[in-house]
Amino acid sequence: QPAPAEAVSAPALGAGSGLHPLTDAAANAQLHEYESSVKHAFDNLVPVLQRIAAERCEPDFVDRAQQIARAELGFDLPDEILDTAWITGLDMRRLFAACVFKTYHRMSDAFFTADPLGGRGGEAFEQFLLECGFHLMDVTPCADGRLAHAISYVLRLPYGRVRRKSYAGSLFDIENTVEKWVETELMRFREGLPNTADAPTRYLKVVMYHGSSVDPAHQGCAAHGSDDAAAARAGLERLKAFRQAIENSFCCGASVDLLLVGLDTDTDAIRVHVPDADGYCDLEHWLDAAKVYEITRGMTPAQARTRIAELVRAHAPGKAAGDALPDGMVRLIGGLIERNLSQIDYVRQYHGGGYADIGHAERFIGAGIGFEEIQLRNLTYFAYLSTVEEGAADLDVGIKIFTGLNVNRGLPVPIIVRYDYHGGVPGARERAVEHCERIAAALKARYPQLCADGMLHCLRAVRDCDAAAPIEIVGSSLDPAASGGH
Amino acid sequence: QPAPAEAVSAPALGAGSGLHPLTDAAANAQLHEYESSVKHAFDNLVPVLQRIAAERCEPDFVDRAQQIARAELGFDLPDEILDTAWITGLDMRRLFAACVFKTYHRMSDAFFTADPLGGRGGEAFEQFLLECGFHLMDVTPCADGRLAHAISYVLRLPYGRVRRKSYAGSLFDIENTVEKWVETELMRFREGLPNTADAPTRYLKVVMYHGSSVDPAHQGCAAHGSDDAAAARAGLERLKAFRQAIENSFCCGASVDLLLVGLDTDTDAIRVHVPDADGYCDLEHWLDAAKVYEITRGMTPAQARTRIAELVRAHAPGKAAGDALPDGMVRLIGGLIERNLSQIDYVRQYHGGGYADIGHAERFIGAGIGFEEIQLRNLTYFAYLSTVEEGAADLDVGIKIFTGLNVNRGLPVPIIVRYDYHGGVPGARERAVEHCERIAAALKARYPQLCADGMLHCLRAVRDCDAAAPIEIVGSSLDPAASGGH
Ligand SMILES: [Zn+2]
Ligand SMILES: [Zn+2]
Ligand SMILES: [Zn+2]
Ligand SMILES: [Zn+2]
């Protein structure tokens, strides 16, 4: 059975099922199985811990608790928390944090060992991308948890072949992206990967901003005050600045291609601001995948694909812009929209056409560099950062969100501090571990009261991203040794 | 008259003057003129401010103070400090900090407009380097102020053609250096600069550690507990790790050349750990420039050069290693030693053969990224950093040093926060300014008592390093608006 990310050229399976003719129903079923099993694992923690709490006066409490945990959660609870319960009472906050961390660890391990979304291959997509005229697709969604599934679900792309780099408000770091461009070009020159430098392909930088169709004034992008137009404008400005940076810093006609995409976080329908041949796009005009869905739902797959290509050209800004638009860009945008049709049906099939959780409902905060395994909506609030000093604003927003989600009902904020490294670089692992420790210490310094109250717990993990290896847990605020100083 | 950095192939001028036959006496005179004028400007501040303080009961104090300042320092004192002196008394701490910042600003402007060390050209050196088989020389001295003159004085290299990146204990950042390597290779591939990628030249990474011959146990490298051997070992380990990182991360025979150099900070004589043809060098053996000086002082320049090349080969580790060593590496090391002979004479001519200030005597702390204009010994304590969170250890050492130098005699610590940016990248200047402000705020958070007592003042400056432009002052803790919150 084909991995969902590979499905672009597979025959459409949706016909006759009430789905769009281009929808990949098998992929939808597989994606929903994954989403619901992971989210169930997290959402089951509170009811199971409540059952365990109800047993705490029983003489064989520890045995009963472990039996329930094994049966319901599939893992043992940490002995050191249960064993002292008879003296100090059962510390439910520590137990909750430990269970969140354990659940994350199991989910992360499954991801890196079993590749449940089949996104590690993706040769077919890479070929498609090259044929469209692009040697790398680099996507910046907003760091908002409601966009964490942008690659694997919304766009149905293989996560292993697309660069995802999330930033609050989709405001990606230009200097960092220039570095990635340099690295990418050098690989083409030195190693001919993914193609040689003389091939006329380009680096494609995509920004995905977002808004909410159900509650646009409150559930849009927090970084832009829930103002869709402002979010789109800021995204386009950043894109243009990146292109300018490349053109100014390198000679010989160096440039990049740009694409501005919006997401309705309630329905997962995208809108694409189709550019003209010069890369100019219009903030006020876009092609909406939900409309494409309606226009093409009664057609055969082949008819629908032809119509999509026409619609893409028709939405280029200016009079003759559509005709001048390169075939490759039309094909790429058409491909993204086609993939998104499956996701529109996914939300219709499994989430009633619109998510119940239109607002924040993340299960933990992820802070640092990495988190490739997070491909699910509303699972993680991301604070991509190298230091708390630079990432303080994003972290403060995360703590505010989790004050509402967790602290106000007595549960701690679980933070996973993560730092990925390149195992081929000597000492990189040790530096990554130090980096985690520095971030964890800075978190403690920034939120001293939450830490002192046991309302903030922090797991530290690193990963060798060259090795396709699972994460390695390197410490936790729950560790017995560390608990004294906490 | 040739710029000092260009002097490598100029005829030796030292003969008959009691100097070494290869010493460039004219360059020495010019370098000393620059060093003494800049240092005089800083060291004159305290005596002049004492004279001004003595006038403070005179009715025309402000006029007298400005007259003295203009005559002795060459600039006006800030009116806002003098004008309130009759009310609150003369705030000598603010006045001192303002004068240090003004003196730094004048010195920095002179450097970027007049190029007093003639280090911006350097085409002859670049040619020499290419002939030796290297397309970039990237030097990491320790961030210790006693090595700040390593490029322009100790090695007599044109600062505009050598990458200098200082780190505490010479422990350079491997990831950052790999990035620089990538950038360098791409320039060779895309633009053929400084040569095309098919030329068999290499990236040369140099580490300069240091020790003190006068007081080895106390005045060596603080980052390595004044243990020369430990400093050398750590430097070599870092060099090897960098090479490993390049070899592991890139295929097609990618590699780099390495060179380990030690500096005696009392005499400025270098020692070179000559490598063998495989790049292996011995921590226990080196070629000492002071010995080369003694061996060759009675020779003609041509004889001396031949003897230096022989000595280099003789100091390669292992039996036949010297013969196998490539001519280019021999020529490079010989060139560095020859240039250092001038500096050995410089210290003999102008500093009695050994500096009076064998320990720390820096005039200010420089924190951030940049400071190309600092090419003088013991002028600046460097804390190269992107955030206080990551650079806290280096900053704490700097504050400790300045507690001894300044605070204990009642004077504040002057810190210059600096962030250089690439002007070709849109928004880079604004981000650099924000970066300065973030660092300044983090400094205030880390040293609240010093700030509250007026014992720490902070100037913020940015610079477009693509434009060969002077620095731009963007703020200061002395600003009237900011003083309330300080
Ligand atoms: Zn957002
Ligand atoms: Zn569902
Ligand atoms: Zn040092
Ligand atoms: Zn002098």
Side-chain angles (χ1 to χ4, degrees):
Chain A
Q1 128 202 32
E6 295 293 293
V8 70
S9 52
L13 303 169
S17 58
L19 303 178
H20 190 282
L22 291 173
T23 288
D24 184 342
N28 280 7
Q30 199 182 335
L31 288 168
H32 184 245
E33 164 59 26
Y34 180 68
E35 182 186 31
S36 44
S37 73
V38 171
K39 287 200 172 159
H40 176 79
F42 281 98
D43 296 342
N44 202 25
L45 294 178
V46 164
V48 171
L49 290 176
Q50 281 170 337
R51 271 188 56 197
I52 288 172
E55 306 280 340
R56 76 179 116 189
C57 300
E58 302 298 324
D60 56 345
F61 164 68
V62 173
D63 289 341
R64 285 178 186 236
Q66 293 293 26
Q67 258 170 28
I68 297 170
R70 254 171 252 139
E72 294 294 322
L73 305 177
F75 56 82
D76 280 14
L77 303 174
D79 283 327
E80 61 273 22
I81 298 179
L82 298 184
D83 286 348
T84 54
W86 68 274
I87 310 171
T88 51
L90 186 55
D91 188 339
M92 276 321 268
R93 287 166 181 172
R94 290 176 73 83
L95 199 54
F96 172 78
C99 288
V100 171
F101 293 157
K102 183 79 187 169
T103 304
Y104 161 71
H105 192 182
R106 285 156 56 92
M107 168 256 169
S108 178
D109 277 355
F111 186 89
F112 288 116
T113 52
D115 192 17
L117 297 175
R120 205 163 301 149
E123 292 80 6
F125 172 72
E126 188 167 280
Q127 192 52 43
F128 168 74
L129 199 60
L130 284 169
E131 285 167 20
C132 292
F134 309 104
H135 50 259
L136 182 66
M137 182 165 170
D138 169 348
V139 183
T140 287
C142 182
D144 190 309
R146 292 169 298 168
L147 284 84
H149 66 322
I151 303 301
S152 294
Y153 283 71
V154 175
L155 299 177
R156 304 288 169 109
L157 300 175
Y159 65 81
R161 296 279 168 167
V162 176
R163 181 183 199 228
R164 176 184 68 174
K165 197 92 176 143
S166 306
Y167 289 90
S170 309
L171 297 172
F172 65 89
D173 181 320
I174 293 180
E175 278 81 2
N176 175 284
T177 314
V178 170
E179 260 168 39
K180 181 68 188 177
W181 181 87
V182 166
E183 202 187 302
T184 305
E185 292 306 302
L186 185 64
M187 285 304 268
R188 298 175 69 218
F189 274 107
R190 289 194 89 249
E191 313 192 4
L193 290 175
N195 61 0
T196 52
D198 55 337
T201 55
R202 286 226 182 132
Y203 186 111
L204 177 65
K205 178 72 199 177
V206 183
V207 156
M208 186 184 276
Y209 68 92
H210 63 102
S212 160
S213 55
V214 174
D215 188 1
H218 301 98
Q219 298 296 350
C221 185
H224 299 290
S226 276
D227 179 341
D228 290 15
R233 199 181 322 120
L236 182 58
E237 262 167 36
R238 195 55 62 118
L239 284 171
K240 285 169 159 176
F242 170 55
R243 182 167 57 190
Q244 198 77 55
I246 294 291
E247 292 177 353
N248 292 356
S249 307
F250 302 90
C251 71
C252 316
S255 193
V256 291
D257 274 317
L258 310 176
L259 194 61
L260 183 66
V261 176
L263 176 70
D264 177 352
T265 53
D266 301 322
T267 65
D268 278 351
I270 60 168
R271 51 164 81 156
V272 180
H273 295 259
V274 181
D276 64 17
D278 299 323
Y280 172 80
C281 81
D282 195 329
L283 284 174
E284 313 292 322
H285 294 97
W286 55 76
L287 178 56
D288 188 325
K291 286 208 179 131
V292 173
Y293 186 105
E294 294 309 323
I295 292 170
T296 57
R297 67 187 308 171
M299 300 181 177
T300 67
Q303 286 171 331
R305 285 199 176 106
T306 307
R307 189 79 186 97
I308 291 172
E310 289 164 6
L311 286 166
V312 171
R313 287 204 189 272
H315 281 77
K319 237 176 156 12
D323 298 333
L325 197 59
D327 288 339
M329 183 58 100
V330 174
R331 211 177 143 197
L332 178 89
I333 294 171
L336 295 179
I337 286 179
E338 177 177 336
R339 286 153 182 264
N340 186 238
L341 298 175
S342 285
Q343 182 66 9
I344 293 174
D345 267 337
Y346 177 90
V347 178
R348 292 182 184 208
Q349 287 175 279
Y350 302 113
H351 296 280
Y355 289 107
D357 50 344
I358 65 166
H360 286 284
E362 291 92 345
R363 277 67 172 182
F364 57 87
I365 294 176
I369 308 286
F371 297 111
E372 189 183 32
E373 73 273 34
I374 307 298
Q375 300 281 339
L376 288 177
R377 183 181 184 277
N378 239 343
L379 187 65
T380 311
Y381 176 87
F382 287 116
Y384 285 104
L385 51 86
S386 182
T387 56
V388 172
E389 188 173 327
E390 290 165 301
D394 287 2
L395 278 169
D396 287 349
V397 172
I399 293 294
K400 200 178 149 201
I401 290 168
F402 273 82
T403 300
L405 293 174
N406 283 20
V407 178
N408 289 349
R409 52 178 185 144
L411 292 173
V413 184
I415 303 188
I416 292 158
V417 172
R418 166 83 166 270
Y419 221 82
D420 282 9
Y421 62 92
H422 292 283
V425 176
R429 181 187 166 280
E430 289 67 31
R431 288 190 291 276
V433 173
E434 280 166 25
H435 219 118
C436 279
E437 278 160 13
R438 193 162 50 223
I439 291 172
L443 281 171
K444 221 155 136 178
R446 189 160 186 95
Y447 309 108
Q449 197 57 51
L450 281 176
C451 290
D453 295 346
M455 294 307 274
L456 191 158
H457 278 292
C458 184
L459 182 75
R460 304 192 299 277
V462 299
R463 180 173 171 257
D464 180 356
C465 54
D466 288 340
I471 62 167
E472 178 192 353
I473 306 292
V474 297
S476 161
S477 62
L478 297 167
D479 289 345
S483 63
H486 208 84
Chain B
Q1 126 203 29
E6 294 292 291
V8 67
S9 51
L13 303 168
S17 58
L19 303 178
H20 190 282
L22 290 172
T23 288
D24 184 342
N28 280 7
Q30 198 182 334
L31 288 168
H32 183 246
E33 164 59 27
Y34 179 69
E35 181 184 32
S36 42
S37 72
V38 171
K39 288 200 171 157
H40 176 77
F42 282 97
D43 296 342
N44 201 27
L45 294 177
V46 164
V48 170
L49 290 176
Q50 282 170 336
R51 270 188 57 196
I52 288 171
E55 306 280 339
R56 75 178 116 189
C57 300
E58 300 299 325
D60 55 346
F61 165 68
V62 173
D63 289 340
R64 285 179 185 234
Q66 292 294 26
Q67 257 169 31
I68 296 170
R70 256 171 249 140
E72 294 294 321
L73 305 177
F75 56 82
D76 280 13
L77 303 174
D79 283 327
E80 63 271 22
I81 298 178
L82 297 184
D83 286 348
T84 53
W86 68 275
I87 310 171
T88 52
L90 186 57
D91 188 339
M92 278 319 273
R93 287 166 181 170
R94 289 176 74 81
L95 199 55
F96 171 78
C99 288
V100 170
F101 293 158
K102 183 78 188 168
T103 304
Y104 161 70
H105 192 183
R106 285 158 55 93
M107 169 257 169
S108 179
D109 277 354
F111 186 88
F112 288 115
T113 52
D115 193 17
L117 296 175
R120 205 161 304 150
E123 292 80 7
F125 172 72
E126 188 167 278
Q127 193 50 42
F128 168 76
L129 198 61
L130 284 170
E131 285 167 21
C132 291
F134 308 105
H135 50 260
L136 182 66
M137 181 164 170
D138 169 348
V139 182
T140 288
C142 181
D144 190 308
R146 292 168 298 168
L147 284 84
H149 65 323
I151 303 301
S152 294
Y153 283 71
V154 174
L155 299 178
R156 303 289 171 107
L157 301 174
Y159 66 80
R161 296 279 169 167
V162 176
R163 182 184 199 225
R164 175 184 69 173
K165 198 90 176 145
S166 305
Y167 289 90
S170 309
L171 297 172
F172 65 90
D173 181 320
I174 292 179
E175 278 80 3
N176 175 284
T177 314
V178 170
E179 259 168 41
K180 182 68 188 175
W181 181 88
V182 166
E183 201 187 304
T184 305
E185 291 306 302
L186 185 64
M187 285 303 269
R188 298 175 69 219
F189 275 108
R190 289 194 87 248
E191 314 193 3
L193 290 176
N195 61 1
T196 53
D198 55 337
T201 56
R202 285 224 184 135
Y203 186 109
L204 177 65
K205 179 72 200 179
V206 182
V207 155
M208 185 184 277
Y209 69 91
H210 63 102
S212 160
S213 55
V214 173
D215 188 2
H218 301 99
Q219 298 296 350
C221 184
H224 299 290
S226 277
D227 179 341
D228 289 15
R233 199 182 321 119
L236 182 58
E237 263 167 35
R238 194 56 61 116
L239 284 171
K240 286 170 160 174
F242 170 55
R243 181 166 57 191
Q244 197 79 55
I246 293 291
E247 291 176 354
N248 291 357
S249 307
F250 302 89
C251 71
C252 316
S255 192
V256 291
D257 274 317
L258 311 175
L259 195 61
L260 182 66
V261 176
L263 176 70
D264 177 352
T265 53
D266 302 321
T267 65
D268 277 352
I270 62 168
R271 50 165 79 158
V272 180
H273 295 260
V274 181
D276 64 17
D278 300 323
Y280 171 81
C281 81
D282 196 329
L283 284 174
E284 312 291 322
H285 294 95
W286 56 76
L287 178 55
D288 188 324
K291 284 207 181 135
V292 173
Y293 186 104
E294 294 310 325
I295 292 170
T296 57
R297 68 186 307 170
M299 300 180 177
T300 67
Q303 285 172 332
R305 286 197 175 108
T306 307
R307 189 79 185 98
I308 291 173
E310 290 164 7
L311 286 166
V312 172
R313 287 204 188 274
H315 282 77
K319 238 175 158 6
D323 298 334
L325 197 59
D327 289 339
M329 183 59 101
V330 174
R331 213 179 139 196
L332 178 89
I333 294 172
L336 295 179
I337 286 178
E338 178 177 334
R339 285 153 181 265
N340 185 239
L341 297 176
S342 286
Q343 183 65 9
I344 293 174
D345 267 338
Y346 178 90
V347 178
R348 291 183 186 207
Q349 285 175 279
Y350 302 112
H351 296 280
Y355 289 106
D357 51 341
I358 65 167
H360 285 285
E362 289 93 344
R363 276 68 172 181
F364 57 86
I365 293 176
I369 308 285
F371 296 112
E372 189 183 34
E373 72 273 35
I374 307 298
Q375 300 281 338
L376 289 177
R377 183 180 184 276
N378 239 343
L379 186 65
T380 312
Y381 175 87
F382 287 115
Y384 285 104
L385 51 86
S386 182
T387 57
V388 172
E389 188 173 326
E390 290 165 301
D394 287 2
L395 278 169
D396 287 348
V397 172
I399 293 295
K400 199 176 151 203
I401 290 168
F402 272 80
T403 300
L405 292 174
N406 283 20
V407 177
N408 288 349
R409 51 177 185 142
L411 292 173
V413 185
I415 303 189
I416 293 158
V417 172
R418 167 81 167 269
Y419 222 81
D420 282 9
Y421 63 92
H422 292 283
V425 177
R429 182 188 166 278
E430 289 65 34
R431 289 190 290 276
V433 172
E434 280 166 23
H435 218 119
C436 278
E437 279 162 12
R438 193 161 50 221
I439 292 172
L443 281 170
K444 221 154 136 181
R446 189 159 186 97
Y447 309 108
Q449 198 56 52
L450 281 176
C451 289
D453 296 345
M455 294 307 273
L456 191 160
H457 278 292
C458 184
L459 182 75
R460 305 193 298 277
V462 299
R463 180 172 170 257
D464 179 356
C465 56
D466 288 340
I471 61 168
E472 178 192 354
I473 306 293
V474 296
S476 161
S477 61
L478 297 167
D479 289 344
S483 62
H486 208 84

